[in-house]
Amino acid sequence: AAEHNKPEQAKYSILFFVFCSMGFMIKGFTAFIIPFLTIGLYSAFSRKWKILEEMRCGRGMLVILLIICPWFLYMISAHGSTYLNYMVVDETKNRLISDGSTHIAAAVLATFLDHCAFYLNVLWTYFAPWGIFLIGAIPLTLWKIKSNDPTKDGLSLLLIWFCVVFGFFSMIYYSINHYMLFLSTPFAILVSVFFLENFDPQLLFG
């Protein structure tokens, strides 16, 4: 069965790197940071290190370079250091950190707390009225994971995905409300699990 699944694993691994590369072309390093951090934390939490091995990151890097290099090499050759500075400084460095504070640790903590409050309000407004149900959905998810529920692996991945997105965007210097749209999928599934917890599957699916 494991041998039979290898072509499927290879296909999904390649697609993962393809979509990360496409995301990078649109949103920059965020498209790499969030997926890789989510998978890395999930592998560590579940102790399923084989996931990282099966991703074949060496092959994945080749896929990434084949997709992103032509465009960036063309833009650098056409616009030189102006384009390079724009990508490295304006689109990356200035979005991640502030130039104004010498107390880096205090600034990061203050930014994190301020942005956490901001994004909690965004979750409430963007996903209203369903955002209120996260108050029950997240504790239920944690309980299911701790109690070795059959769905714990999937729920662990969703919760880590949720926390990575929320935590990462709370730490960076810029706060933009539409960043929380990255949470649409894990949010919808976690809240759905909360609503369906007390339903009999036989009544739902026959």
Side-chain angles (χ1 to χ4, degrees):
E3 291 296 324
H4 177 72
N5 287 332
K6 282 187 177 180
E8 287 290 305
Q9 292 172 351
K11 178 179 72 174
Y12 290 124
S13 172
I14 291 171
L15 284 174
F16 172 82
F17 289 103
V18 168
F19 288 127
C20 284
S21 303
M22 293 169 66
F24 177 80
M25 300 289 285
I26 300 170
K27 297 301 295 182
F29 287 101
T30 301
F32 289 142
I33 294 171
I34 290 175
F36 280 97
L37 189 55
T38 299
I39 291 175
L41 289 174
Y42 173 73
S43 299
F45 178 80
S46 62
R47 298 181 181 178
K48 295 182 178 180
W49 299 108
K50 195 174 181 181
I51 292 173
L52 300 178
E53 179 185 337
E54 291 171 348
M55 287 176 64
R56 302 278 298 275
C57 290
R59 178 185 61 191
M61 286 303 299
L62 290 175
V63 172
I64 290 171
L65 292 174
L66 285 171
I67 292 174
I68 70 174
C69 279
W71 171 254
F72 284 100
L73 290 175
Y74 166 74
M75 291 296 288
I76 291 170
S77 67
H79 302 285
S81 60
T82 301
Y83 177 74
L84 195 59
N85 287 337
Y86 169 75
M87 290 301 300
V88 173
V89 178
D90 294 339
E91 285 295 310
T92 303
K93 176 180 174 291
N94 289 347
R95 286 180 180 267
L96 294 178
I97 60 175
S98 168
D99 293 328
S101 176
T102 56
H103 304 287
I104 297 175
V108 169
L109 179 59
T111 296
F112 179 76
L113 295 175
D114 181 61
H115 289 181
C116 278
F118 173 77
Y119 286 127
L120 284 172
N121 183 59
V122 170
L123 286 176
W124 168 252
T125 55
Y126 265 31
F127 299 112
W130 311 108
I132 190 67
F133 295 104
L134 277 177
I135 296 173
I138 290 179
L140 174 65
T141 300
L142 291 170
W143 177 81
K144 281 178 170 288
I145 293 169
K146 187 176 180 180
S147 62
N148 287 320
D149 187 272
T151 62
K152 72 171 187 175
D153 285 344
L155 290 175
S156 297
L157 178 61
L158 288 167
L159 188 59
I160 290 170
W161 180 357
F162 188 97
C163 292
V164 165
V165 172
F166 190 89
F168 173 74
F169 286 120
S170 294
M171 289 181 66
I172 67 175
Y173 179 59
Y174 272 63
S175 60
I176 303 176
N177 53 7
H178 67 245
Y179 284 161
M180 289 299 100
L181 292 176
F182 283 94
L183 287 178
S184 297
T185 299
F187 172 88
I189 298 175
L190 290 173
V191 171
S192 297
V193 169
F194 173 76
F195 276 114
L196 297 174
E197 168 64 13
N198 294 315
F199 278 83
D200 184 347
Q202 291 296 324
L203 295 176
L204 292 174
F205 305 110

